[in-house]
Amino acid sequence: MIELIENEYQLNTFSLTDIYSVRIFSLLKAYGCKYPFARFYRQKNHNGRITAVMSALDKDITVSFCEDADRDEISEFISVIGFSSVLCDENLKMNFPYESGIVMKTDKTVEFSIPYIEIDEYPPLFDLYNFIDYGENNFEAWYVDINHRIRHGCAKAVTLNVNDEIISSAIFSSIYNGSAVLTGVQTNPEFRKMGYGSALVSEMCCNFGGTVYLMRENARNESFYIKLGFENTGRWRMYK
């Protein structure tokens, strides 16, 4: 059975921690259940145990599920309520086109530093938005969301600067209970392969001191993250 939850305590007994549950619970911590654009669901088995949790930010859905979850019910439910995207483990099969890639994870601290650099833990978000180049994504919507998450301790944006110029960026877009999801890793093309991106990610992971997840595309950046202590742990799918 899948049901809409009315408060965060209704998900307390869900014990699985993965990149998807960190995204879901971070979103729940940031917004709670009072906003119509952020909805949260749980699936329970016949014994009343929670086997899956879902978040829907507008029409963008994230799913975290246990091995014994009823995946057919999840797929059917999502199809009925409608979606723009569905992010999940590859073991959730749906009859829609999808992109896929690798999930990586680390709980190690690999120090990689460069002298004479400046780490800005509170960069101007407008400058960060322009540096990352979100393309057609609306700045106002992005700003309102990331600023809200940062103020609630559910996200963190960091840049590496040289002479007051952003050289590299990274974002913990979701933070929850000692785990974080790393996104927005980018270095100015003129400064790539010089260690700036490595130094920034290393600084973030060492300072965070917990488990860090990320999603990467197939056959891209594997060696970069492995040298920083990350390991491949699974595959993600994004249905659209």
Side-chain angles (χ1 to χ4, degrees):
M1 177 180 68
I2 296 176
E3 57 188 8
L4 179 71
I5 70 161
E6 298 179 351
N7 62 72
E8 60 187 272
Y9 305 108
Q10 292 179 282
L11 297 185
N12 278 354
T13 59
F14 187 71
S15 59
L16 176 64
T17 300
D18 57 16
I19 188 171
Y20 316 104
S21 66
V22 174
R23 285 172 54 97
I24 293 166
F25 281 95
S26 174
L27 183 67
L28 180 59
K29 179 182 176 182
Y31 287 103
C33 299
K34 60 183 178 180
Y35 295 101
F37 57 80
R39 303 178 310 282
F40 302 89
Y41 303 88
R42 66 182 181 183
Q43 180 191 67
K44 298 170 67 175
N45 64 14
H46 62 280
N47 292 321
R49 186 171 67 84
I50 301 175
T51 52
V53 295
M54 287 178 274
S55 65
L57 183 60
D58 292 326
K59 289 290 187 177
D60 293 319
I61 295 173
T62 302
V63 185
S64 177
F65 56 90
C66 302
E67 289 187 5
D68 60 340
D70 188 336
R71 299 170 202 173
D72 290 338
E73 182 185 43
I74 295 172
S75 178
E76 182 179 354
F77 176 80
I78 292 172
S79 298
V80 169
I81 65 173
F83 64 90
S84 296
S85 68
V86 179
L87 177 64
C88 58
D89 181 83
E90 66 172 352
N91 291 312
L92 180 62
K93 311 296 185 184
M94 300 180 65
N95 293 321
F96 298 97
Y98 63 85
E99 300 173 356
S100 65
I102 311 298
V103 175
M104 302 188 79
K105 171 185 174 182
T106 186
D107 52 14
K108 304 174 184 177
T109 54
V110 177
E111 295 188 9
F112 191 103
S113 61
I114 297 178
Y116 313 118
I117 61 173
E118 174 191 351
I119 301 293
D120 189 349
E121 297 188 350
Y122 303 96
L125 293 181
F126 182 75
D127 294 344
L128 178 61
Y129 174 87
N130 287 330
F131 179 77
I132 294 177
D133 186 13
Y134 282 97
E136 297 180 357
N137 287 356
N138 179 268
F139 168 73
E140 183 176 354
W142 176 85
Y143 173 84
V144 169
D145 182 47
I146 194 68
N147 186 55
H148 182 87
R149 292 173 188 250
I150 290 172
R151 287 190 293 105
H152 285 79
C154 300
K156 186 176 184 63
V158 179
T159 60
L160 183 152
N161 306 332
V162 176
N163 297 326
D164 296 323
E165 178 185 356
I166 296 177
I167 300 301
S168 189
S169 70
I171 299 173
F172 284 151
S173 57
S174 300
I175 299 173
Y176 182 77
N177 197 28
S179 295
V181 178
L182 181 67
T183 62
V185 179
Q186 184 161 309
T187 300
N188 186 318
E190 296 180 8
F191 294 89
R192 289 176 184 169
K193 301 188 183 300
M194 299 172 66
Y196 291 109
S198 298
L200 181 59
V201 173
S202 170
E203 177 84 5
M204 290 183 70
C205 292
C206 288
N207 286 345
F208 182 65
T211 301
V212 178
Y213 298 89
L214 63 86
M215 293 165 44
R216 66 173 179 84
E217 298 177 20
N218 293 309
R220 289 196 61 188
N221 302 322
E222 182 175 25
S223 60
F224 172 83
Y225 288 112
I226 285 177
K227 74 179 181 181
L228 293 170
F230 286 84
E231 299 178 350
N232 298 324
T233 60
R235 296 188 62 86
W236 57 268
R237 280 191 179 183
M238 175 78 78
Y239 292 97
K240 295 184 176 181

